[in-house]
Amino acid sequence: MTGSAPPQSGDDPLVIAYITAASKADALRIGRSLVEERLAACAKVLDGMTSVYRWEGRVEQADEAVLIAKTRSRLFDRLAARVRELHGYDTPCVLELAVGRGNPAYLDWLRAETA
Amino acid sequence: MTGSAPPQSGDDPLVIAYITAASKADALRIGRSLVEERLAACAKVLDGMTSVYRWEGRVEQADEAVLIAKTRSRLFDRLAARVRELHGYDTPCVLELAVGRGNPAYLDWLRAETA
Amino acid sequence: MTGSAPPQSGDDPLVIAYITAASKADALRIGRSLVEERLAACAKVLDGMTSVYRWEGRVEQADEAVLIAKTRSRLFDRLAARVRELHGYDTPCVLELAVGRGNPAYLDWLRAETA
């Protein structure tokens, strides 16, 4: 896991799940469940986001929070399904971002903490 | 769109456009235009960012805001060109991050809301 | 660097290094060093993040800050090694996210400001 070869090129890549929620409390509730169930190694919540989107033909604005969950690629579909169960929205934003290289010890920790 | 095959592997991938602006108001103004013009399905603004960069040989610090716009890959070049028109900076930060999988209903919504 | 061909497909791709730190002050200190040493063209700090993670079998919660550093892919391993030296954590989170296209003039600036 050391040296310049990407540690992610193998058979167990890691991903970031980018999720939005209606409030910091809601994001923390979802993130805590994902960590408790080992669907994510950690969950980070950023508060104070303003969202702009079209709804029924009008451009609306609302306060939201971001939840960044780190997990294995192979767990992403289960994580996304669980977020849909836990979330207050009908169509929550859950998007996968591929992780490339990383601090090798941290990548090991992410894998150890996920199911 | 269900199952474990990445729904993004086809011919209409989605991306995140990561943009920075001088203030929350500026980021909201740009994001609202992108949504109104259907160059992005939604725009999220995170305030309270501190930026560290080199300018004329010195390391400077400034307050900024982040704008996260979600769109189709095929619209990214038009979005970036429009941000250059709307932005107060000569050389604004506009970067593309590839989206992998996602909540299928949310991916459908992103596509339906973009030109 | 203009037109629709991805400017990133060549031999000098750019990346985002996603790093977390215990406080805004800590994130700024690390980010400033990375920029001063030309291991990153810029560093952005977002404060007010709440982190949820498992520690010794319990799910814990702590305040953190995010540091987003932009650099060349070829500098990522050196950047990650330097963050491990500068960081107060034994196992800091340093993750690579690939950048696709971008505002061509901004991509040029990122390359000009890195070693």
Side-chain angles (χ1 to χ4, degrees):
Chain A
M1 296 286 282
T2 55
S4 61
Q8 288 294 99
S9 58
D11 55 355
D12 190 12
L14 298 169
V15 300
I16 285 175
Y18 170 98
I19 298 155
T20 58
S23 66
K24 179 180 177 180
D26 218 36
L28 281 173
R29 177 182 61 80
I30 295 167
R32 181 170 277 272
S33 292
L34 296 177
V35 173
E36 284 172 351
E37 299 168 20
R38 303 184 74 89
L39 289 172
C42 68
K44 314 277 183 177
V45 173
L46 280 160
D47 198 13
M49 188 170 73
T50 307
S51 179
V52 179
Y53 54 96
R54 188 178 294 101
W55 190 253
E56 299 185 352
R58 286 167 53 97
V59 176
E60 306 278 356
Q61 194 169 314
D63 292 335
E64 287 195 323
V66 195
L67 169 60
I68 294 168
K70 293 164 202 152
T71 193
R72 297 169 189 239
S73 175
R74 62 176 66 159
L75 291 175
F76 180 81
D77 288 328
R78 281 174 56 197
L79 178 148
R82 187 68 179 119
V83 171
R84 287 195 295 274
E85 290 173 355
L86 292 164
H87 211 291
Y89 291 178
D90 284 340
T91 309
C93 170
V94 188
L95 297 177
E96 180 192 33
L97 300 175
V99 169
R101 287 168 289 179
N103 173 8
Y106 185 78
L107 301 182
D108 287 346
W109 176 81
L110 285 184
R111 290 190 178 98
E113 290 298 324
T114 42
Chain B
M1 298 287 281
T2 56
S4 60
Q8 288 295 98
S9 59
D11 54 355
D12 191 11
L14 298 169
V15 299
I16 284 175
Y18 170 97
I19 299 155
T20 57
S23 66
K24 179 179 177 181
D26 218 36
L28 281 172
R29 176 183 60 81
I30 295 166
R32 181 170 278 270
S33 291
L34 296 177
V35 173
E36 284 172 349
E37 299 169 19
R38 304 184 75 89
L39 289 172
C42 66
K44 312 280 184 175
V45 173
L46 279 160
D47 198 12
M49 188 170 73
T50 306
S51 180
V52 179
Y53 54 95
R54 189 179 293 102
W55 189 253
E56 299 185 351
R58 287 166 53 96
V59 176
E60 305 278 356
Q61 194 169 313
D63 292 336
E64 288 195 324
V66 194
L67 169 60
I68 295 168
K70 293 165 203 151
T71 193
R72 298 168 189 238
S73 175
R74 63 175 65 159
L75 290 175
F76 180 81
D77 288 328
R78 281 174 56 196
L79 177 149
R82 188 66 179 120
V83 170
R84 286 196 295 274
E85 291 174 354
L86 291 164
H87 210 291
Y89 290 179
D90 283 341
T91 308
C93 170
V94 187
L95 297 177
E96 178 192 35
L97 300 174
V99 169
R101 288 168 290 179
N103 174 8
Y106 184 77
L107 301 182
D108 288 346
W109 177 81
L110 284 184
R111 291 190 177 97
E113 290 299 325
T114 41
Chain C
M1 297 286 282
T2 55
S4 60
Q8 288 296 97
S9 59
D11 55 355
D12 190 13
L14 298 169
V15 300
I16 284 174
Y18 170 96
I19 299 155
T20 57
S23 66
K24 179 180 177 180
D26 218 37
L28 280 173
R29 176 182 61 80
I30 295 167
R32 180 171 279 269
S33 291
L34 296 176
V35 173
E36 284 172 350
E37 299 168 20
R38 305 184 74 89
L39 289 171
C42 67
K44 314 279 184 176
V45 173
L46 279 160
D47 198 13
M49 188 168 73
T50 307
S51 180
V52 179
Y53 54 97
R54 189 178 294 102
W55 190 253
E56 299 184 353
R58 287 166 51 96
V59 176
E60 306 278 356
Q61 194 168 313
D63 292 336
E64 287 195 325
V66 194
L67 169 60
I68 295 168
K70 294 165 202 152
T71 193
R72 297 168 189 240
S73 175
R74 62 175 66 158
L75 291 175
F76 180 80
D77 288 329
R78 282 174 56 196
L79 177 148
R82 187 68 179 119
V83 170
R84 287 195 296 274
E85 290 174 354
L86 292 164
H87 211 291
Y89 291 179
D90 284 340
T91 308
C93 170
V94 187
L95 297 177
E96 179 193 35
L97 301 175
V99 168
R101 288 168 289 179
N103 174 6
Y106 184 77
L107 301 182
D108 288 344
W109 176 81
L110 285 184
R111 291 189 178 98
E113 290 299 324
T114 42

